[in-house]
Amino acid sequence: MKTEVNMTYLPVQNFIGGQWRVVPSGKTLEVISPLDGKCLSIVPLSTDSELDEAVKAATAAFPAWSRTPIKERVQVLFRYKSLLEAHSDELAALISEENGKTLVEAVAEIEKSVELTEFACSLPQLITGEWLEVSRGIDCRTERVPIGVVSSIVPFNFPAMVPNWTIPNAIALGNCMILKPSEKVPLTAGRLAQLLKEAGLPDGVFNIIHGDADIVNAICKHPGIEAVSFVGSTRVAKIVYRTATQQLKKCLALGGAKNHLLVLPDAKAEMTAQNVVASMSGCAGQRCMAASAMVAVGSVDHIVDKICEEAKKVVPGKNLGAVISREAKQRIEKYITEAEVQGAKILVYGRNVIVKGKEEGSYVGPTVIDYVDPKMAVAKEEIFGPVISIMRTKTLDEAIAIENANPYGNAASVYTQNGGLAKYVIDKASAGMIGVNVGVPVPREPFSFGGWNESKFGSGDITGKSSIEFWTKLKKTTVKWNPEAGVNWMS
Ligand code: NAD
């Protein structure tokens, strides 16, 4: 354990009922910057009793917050959006420090958080209910009401954006939230809490509980929590979904991904190569929307050559950030070595990278692997590093069969200038988010984000209009004021 003196920041604390709270349990983990291996802070592993306090604080805040008209609730989010913009540089620096991504990528994460908050500000316009005189003198109306205390469990790869997938919408819709940040990147969440408080969010509406698997398990089982949203790996998404739904909670659990890019010979070579490389190496490949597998259909050697040229322009420590940890670097490099041993051809090497002056950082260079057999691990599994595995097929149907056979289903893209072939892929790909000549087909607000198959468990999506269903309950009221309506089968 490093002493506090050597840390960049004070020890991380929970945020409960609008106050910073020390966790008395004493169990902590170090927060290490992937950029240079420096110890940034220590994060506490909360226990059931801290979670109980957070649930109590959220439960106490719920009656007043849920009864606050939504147009008043979103005023807080208008101010939060402005604060995100005003603090963009500072937040981006913190994100980069704890996550390892580049500053440019971290700024983009704040820009996306702003867009997510703007969407939440528009919710009053989107959730107006319905009303109809269903028979003489009898009216029926529907309204969306908040669920209660809800939880959001998030991964390491987007310390601000993924929390902001859930925070603005859930609280705009009248819920009180407990956020469980990734123990690898707990610092940014604390700044978000400060900004929400500064924006005027009442105490207890937003709370943070830090910890690892044990506290996630406790959240899934806590009787005071009505709904659990989760974003992370498929392995943990399955655990969370099973545990939470077994406790009869509402649950939406987003998992990992293996996204395929299908490249056809008529694709625009320059644009395709730039897109493929940006998609596989952005955020060091640590995006659930990253291109991880490319299926080269027919004669596309000229595009593969350009991909290699583009990949060589991506330089670790400059325009390529670090991967989250030493373990992650080792895991990614093991995948590359294994593919090479099994006969794949490494066109661009990213192993054994050391960035001068940041020797303790965890960097992997961009890696292009060609002639990958669909049975290899690099073809099938999520690598979560700046690596693209190229498989070769003669026909588009073979390429679609490879995409369809993968158990994940987050995203898939096709590169072609032929509208008919693009439509064929849109129809046949087994993924929730499809791109045509777009390498990272993230649907922007108001469209929703969510994959299929083993990339998501539960119904609906986590952002956009679809999330309204998850964060609310539908109330149906039938009203009769007029005695002449009488009493009949519908009274
Ligand atoms: P992870 O699954 O290891 O961790 C996610 C969260 O679960 C963290 O808060 C962690 O503390 C907790 N956790 C870890 N192990 C647990 C366990 N055994 N039981 C209960 N909780 C546990 O994921 P990660 O490594 O932080 O993030 C990377 C993964 O997230 C990748 O697989 C990536 O594809 C995925 N991801 C998916 C999406 C999406 O939209 N589908 C978005 C971002 C990231």
Side-chain angles (χ1 to χ4, degrees):
M1 170 70 57
K2 296 197 178 164
T3 61
E4 289 179 24
V5 183
N6 292 332
M7 300 187 314
T8 312
Y9 300 98
L10 291 171
V12 174
Q13 296 183 5
N14 286 337
F15 184 71
I16 299 177
Q19 308 299 320
W20 296 102
R21 305 283 283 272
V22 179
V23 178
S25 81
K27 281 195 191 154
T28 57
L29 294 173
E30 290 185 350
V31 183
I32 304 292
S33 174
L35 295 175
D36 53 13
K38 213 169 152 193
C39 180
L40 297 176
S41 185
I42 48 172
V43 59
L45 301 186
S46 307
T47 63
D48 290 5
S49 66
E50 284 92 47
L51 178 62
D52 265 341
E53 280 179 45
V55 175
K56 276 193 193 119
T59 307
F62 182 68
W65 183 243
S66 58
R67 282 199 299 266
T68 302
I70 186 167
K71 276 173 169 272
E72 272 182 46
R73 289 195 300 250
V74 299
Q75 296 310 312
V76 174
L77 293 166
F78 277 110
R79 293 191 288 272
Y80 174 61
K81 170 194 140 36
S82 300
L83 288 168
L84 285 174
E85 286 167 333
H87 292 271
S88 172
D89 289 349
E90 167 225 325
L91 283 164
L94 186 58
I95 290 169
S96 172
E97 208 175 7
E98 67 173 346
N99 168 279
K101 65 180 65 176
T102 66
L103 268 179
V104 173
E105 290 165 345
V107 168
E109 195 175 325
I110 298 303
E111 285 168 357
K112 183 65 198 176
S113 300
V114 167
E115 183 178 65
L116 291 157
T117 309
E118 282 168 356
F119 174 77
C121 291
S122 76
L123 280 166
Q125 278 55 253
L126 294 174
I127 66 149
T128 50
E130 295 176 322
W131 179 94
L132 184 71
E133 185 179 32
V134 288
S135 71
R136 284 172 194 276
I138 299 184
D139 303 334
C140 200
R141 73 168 203 201
T142 61
E143 65 195 294
R144 292 257 156 217
V145 298
I147 315 173
V149 176
V150 299
S151 175
S152 175
I153 301 158
V154 290
F156 77 80
N157 62 332
F158 284 95
M161 183 191 78
V162 172
N164 280 309
W165 278 358
T166 57
I167 302 167
N169 290 357
I171 64 179
L173 291 165
N175 301 289
C176 292
M177 174 172 275
I178 297 169
L179 178 78
K180 206 302 277 176
S182 164
E183 62 277 29
K184 293 174 187 140
V185 295
L187 296 161
T188 305
R191 279 301 286 140
L192 299 182
Q194 285 169 338
L195 297 183
L196 283 164
K197 190 167 168 120
E198 199 179 326
L201 191 70
D203 291 348
V205 176
F206 177 71
N207 308 274
I208 300 177
I209 282 286
H210 290 286
D212 58 9
D214 287 347
I215 205 68
V216 170
N217 198 32
I219 287 170
C220 293
K221 291 186 173 161
H222 199 293
I225 296 175
E226 302 289 336
V228 175
S229 77
F230 171 89
V231 181
S233 61
T234 292
R235 182 183 68 82
V236 182
K238 285 182 181 172
I239 297 172
V240 166
Y241 190 76
R242 287 194 178 115
T243 315
T245 53
Q246 202 188 19
Q247 304 295 317
L248 309 179
K249 293 185 199 309
K250 219 171 177 182
C251 183
L252 183 60
L254 273 63
K258 184 79 183 175
N259 305 315
H260 292 68
L261 300 183
L262 277 49
V263 176
L264 276 51
D266 71 336
K268 294 253 188 224
E270 193 89 26
M271 178 190 79
T272 304
Q274 284 168 357
N275 270 234
V276 171
V277 171
S279 180
M280 59 84 111
S281 66
C283 297
Q286 299 173 122
R287 286 189 287 195
C288 65
M289 294 296 279
S292 177
M294 174 179 138
V295 192
V297 183
S299 313
V300 296
D301 282 352
H302 61 297
I303 301 177
V304 173
D305 290 346
K306 282 215 175 300
I307 288 172
C308 294
E309 270 173 42
E310 286 296 324
K312 285 174 190 159
K313 296 180 194 164
V314 178
V315 182
K318 286 196 176 141
N319 55 351
L320 178 63
V323 297
I324 189 68
S325 61
R326 291 259 178 86
E327 297 72 39
K329 176 177 160 77
Q330 282 162 6
R331 191 197 68 240
I332 297 161
E333 294 191 340
K334 192 163 163 247
Y335 270 117
I336 303 168
T337 306
E338 202 177 280
E340 190 175 31
V341 169
Q342 289 171 349
K345 203 169 158 195
I346 315 286
L347 302 181
V348 180
Y349 279 84
R351 280 171 302 186
N352 308 320
V353 166
I354 291 175
V355 173
K356 215 165 160 235
K358 294 183 175 174
E359 286 74 9
E360 299 301 313
S362 305
Y363 295 89
V364 178
T367 302
V368 180
I369 315 178
D370 202 358
Y371 296 101
V372 167
D373 186 293
K375 290 194 206 75
M376 291 178 185
V378 287
K380 295 190 294 191
E381 295 171 20
E382 180 174 46
I383 301 173
F384 230 49
V387 180
I388 188 95
S389 307
I390 303 178
M391 289 166 270
R392 303 276 185 152
T393 64
K394 288 199 176 68
T395 67
L396 181 55
D397 281 330
E398 284 172 75
I400 288 170
I402 289 174
E403 191 278 336
N404 285 182
N406 195 275
Y408 294 109
N410 225 32
S413 287
V414 57
Y415 282 86
T416 180
Q417 289 302 300
N418 182 319
L421 292 178
K423 170 87 169 71
Y424 191 70
V425 174
I426 294 168
D427 291 346
K428 301 257 174 183
S430 181
M433 293 170 279
I434 309 292
V436 176
N437 298 320
V438 174
V440 187
V442 173
R444 293 187 56 180
E445 299 356 88
F447 299 99
S448 61
F449 187 102
W452 287 0
N453 312 330
E454 299 232 324
S455 292
K456 193 189 74 188
F457 306 96
S459 66
D461 284 341
I462 200 160
T463 65
K465 287 189 207 169
S466 179
S467 72
I468 296 169
E469 175 73 33
F470 186 71
W471 296 121
T472 57
K473 299 186 279 198
L474 191 64
K475 182 173 274 184
K476 289 76 56 182
T477 306
T478 303
V479 180
K480 180 175 71 181
W481 294 116
N482 176 2
E484 284 88 67
V487 176
N488 60 25
W489 61 268
M490 67 188 72
S491 316

